[in-house]
Amino acid sequence: MRSMSSDTDITIHRPEELGTSLREAWHRAMDESPEYANPFLAPEFAAGIGRHRRGGARVAVLHQRGEAVGFLPYERGSFGVGRAIGLGLSDCQGLVHRPGVTWDARALLKACRLSVFEFDHLAEEQTPFAPYVTGTFASPVIDLKVGSDSYPEWLRGAYPGLAKTTLKKERRLTRDLGEMRFVFDERDPRALHTLMQWKSAQYRRTGRMDRFARPWIVNLVKDLFHVREEHFTGLLSVVYAGDRPVAAHFGPTSRTVFAPWFTAYDPELRYYSPGLIMHLRMAEAAGRRGARLMDMGRGDKEWKDWLKTRELRVAEGFATRPHPVATAHRLWRRPVRGLRNTVNAHPALREPADRLLKTVGTLRTSGHRSDSDSAGPLAS
């Protein structure tokens, strides 16, 4: 235990080894501070990273007057270089705390034995980290409504501009391939396997890093698929035409926040706009089941602009304390992030970059087996 101030102490734990009382205190902090209700901030997500990613997954627990009131999940690497847990996968990061709790960022890093703490989806209301923010970005969300309307009625009310075209494509899908049906909570692991194959192929086609070529990510997703807790449920949703899967999504949901994560579809059926159908179906079903917010995550995508009702703000940056490693890490990482953000923020740069990546992806995949035959770790 390390003293942070006269009335705050910090203990460090492995997230997968947290006891019941600390997990319950973490859940209580999520409930009392709605801005931290995102499932990526839940202890179940941190525990999954701890189980499957080698290295230093940790949780700093803040105690005041003997009570656990704050939780910072992070990963500690060599030389005290730290990062938000699941950096690169998580769409929401930060220190989850009960209302009114404050802390000192440098004292927190010292207690965690970190010289630097990197984040790229920091939630709002993280005031002690504000001096270290290098940029803020829109995170589009959909405010979900609970109602008794049928799906077509809900769609016409929520998205009148999209309703006619989307319903027409759903009817055409039924006519061409078989009765379309949507399963919000699919428990068949074969459908999860299909999703990961589709997504892996999509990453390669578009020249992006194939996350599902990394066994630890495959194992993490398979693990979270079986987690069904009040504050974190791994949810697989599938659109079928007859018995044929058309599109699928896997992501976490808490009691009130649904967080899209991995969505993919059969590329042979792109004409039917299966990705858009999937997101609209998920939004309606999530609201019907009690979620109040669908957080689509940071990123400029046309479909997000179509669907969003408003935007949250998330931040990226590097919290540091005086240390040579912190200076070197910031000098190395900040220009890389800056270049990426510049490209993403300007369509005149982003579109040529996307075309280049797709060309690279085409050349890369043309020298390998077909997508259906090159599952890599997904075949396990």
Side-chain angles (χ1 to χ4, degrees):
M1 180 176 292
R2 294 174 173 83
S3 178
M4 187 174 179
S5 68
S6 59
D7 63 349
T8 302
D9 292 302
I10 298 176
T11 56
I12 308 298
H13 308 259
R14 294 182 182 274
E16 68 274 24
E17 296 175 357
L18 282 180
T20 301
S21 63
L22 287 179
R23 291 197 304 272
E24 290 177 348
W26 192 333
H27 290 152
R28 186 162 57 251
M30 294 177 68
D31 291 339
E32 294 180 2
S33 300
E35 61 269 27
Y36 304 135
N38 191 294
F40 285 114
L41 295 177
E44 290 80 7
F45 180 73
I49 297 290
R51 284 191 294 270
H52 296 288
R53 186 168 191 169
R54 290 184 181 178
R58 299 289 188 273
V59 177
V61 181
L62 279 63
H63 304 262
Q64 291 183 351
R65 294 176 292 279
E67 185 177 9
V69 296
F71 303 84
L72 176 70
Y74 64 96
E75 298 176 54
R76 184 180 186 276
S78 302
F79 306 108
V81 173
R83 45 192 272 164
I85 201 158
L87 189 81
L89 288 176
S90 168
D91 284 340
C92 193
Q93 302 152 1
L95 191 152
V96 179
H97 61 84
R98 299 179 67 179
V101 172
T102 61
W103 72 94
D104 178 81
R106 286 189 171 179
L108 176 63
L109 265 59
K110 183 178 180 181
C112 296
R113 295 192 299 122
L114 298 179
S115 56
V116 60
F117 173 68
E118 181 178 355
F119 49 86
D120 64 358
H121 286 75
L122 187 72
E124 293 182 285
E125 308 300 332
Q126 298 276 292
T127 304
F129 286 138
Y132 307 100
V133 168
T134 58
T136 62
F137 305 88
S139 184
V141 300
I142 303 173
D143 293 293
L144 303 176
K145 298 179 181 178
V146 179
S148 58
D149 293 343
S150 67
Y151 169 75
E153 291 171 334
W154 171 87
L155 184 59
R156 292 186 186 101
Y159 297 99
L162 289 174
K164 183 177 180 180
T165 301
T166 303
L167 292 171
K168 182 179 180 180
K169 289 189 174 183
E170 290 189 4
R171 290 193 295 270
R172 184 174 296 161
L173 186 63
T174 292
R175 185 179 67 243
D176 294 348
L177 295 174
E179 186 67 29
M180 200 209 88
R181 58 191 176 92
F182 172 67
V183 181
F184 184 60
D185 187 5
E186 175 61 85
R187 304 310 302 160
D188 187 347
R190 293 174 298 179
L192 181 65
H193 181 85
T194 297
L195 167 62
M196 290 193 286
Q197 286 186 308
W198 282 342
K199 197 66 179 178
S200 183
Q202 177 191 335
Y203 285 138
R204 298 197 303 274
R205 283 196 310 272
T206 56
R208 265 68 177 186
M209 180 196 75
D210 181 2
R211 290 175 174 173
F212 291 116
R214 299 187 174 189
W216 80 266
I217 295 181
V218 173
N219 292 332
L220 171 68
V221 168
K222 289 180 177 178
D223 183 351
L224 297 180
F225 173 66
H226 295 288
V227 177
R228 305 184 71 76
E229 302 291 343
E230 183 180 12
H231 293 80
F232 187 103
T233 293
L235 201 64
L236 174 67
S237 301
V238 184
V239 171
Y240 291 95
D243 292 328
R244 179 176 178 176
V246 173
H249 163 268
F250 178 78
T253 184
S254 67
R255 292 198 309 163
T256 58
V257 179
F258 178 61
W261 201 15
F262 295 112
T263 304
Y265 56 84
D266 186 336
E268 294 180 3
L269 305 177
R270 62 174 61 89
Y271 174 75
Y272 300 96
S273 301
L276 181 60
I277 291 173
M278 167 62 70
H279 281 89
L280 289 168
R281 288 278 179 171
M282 288 193 303
E284 188 271 340
R288 190 180 295 277
R289 297 200 179 196
R292 296 292 177 267
L293 196 71
M294 183 167 166
D295 188 341
M296 296 181 284
R298 169 186 167 185
D300 294 317
K301 299 291 184 182
E302 188 176 36
W303 62 267
K304 293 183 181 183
D305 288 334
W306 291 343
L307 301 184
K308 70 182 181 183
T309 57
R310 59 188 173 95
E311 295 175 345
L312 303 178
R313 302 296 296 181
V314 296
E316 69 175 35
F318 308 85
T320 62
R321 61 190 180 98
H323 196 285
V325 170
T327 302
H329 183 81
R330 187 172 61 251
L331 290 174
W332 168 55
R333 290 287 290 161
R334 187 168 181 176
V336 174
R337 287 199 174 278
L339 177 60
R340 184 206 62 196
N341 293 334
T342 299
V343 171
N344 286 336
H346 295 83
L349 298 175
R350 185 173 66 245
E351 291 170 8
D354 280 342
R355 288 196 297 269
L356 176 60
L357 286 172
K358 289 177 181 177
T359 300
V360 172
T362 300
L363 294 173
R364 184 183 299 164
T365 55
S366 66
H368 293 75
R369 295 170 292 171
S370 68
D371 292 336
S372 60
D373 293 331
S374 56
L378 303 184
S380 62

